[in-house]
Amino acid sequence: MFERVPDAPPTIARQSDCQTCYMCELYCPVDALYVAPESDMQTSVNEAELAEVGLLGSYRENIGWGHKRASTAKADQTFQILKQMK
Ligand code: SF4
């Protein structure tokens, strides 16, 4: 969740309301966001460490969303998980 800040970039707010949908990471055009996959608990991260290991914007990169990237949608196997849940 983000909060508008006049004349400044938005700030992260109400982190406990996050649904781990990854949309903010997907839509960030400069790969400045990382959504931790641990959805059951709040996780603190270190920006420098995330950048060093290449996690900032990594979900966006891995699905091939962004300028000059190739979509990996055809390789998505998520439907296999959904089939097992029936
Ligand atoms: S992952 Fe989804 S719910 Fe969480 S802050 Fe980003 S857009 Fe909001």
Side-chain angles (χ1 to χ4, degrees), residues 1-2 18-24 35:
M1 303 292 140
F2 297 89
C18 177
Q19 300 297 306
T20 321
C21 73
Y22 297 93
M23 288 296 113
C24 56
V35 177

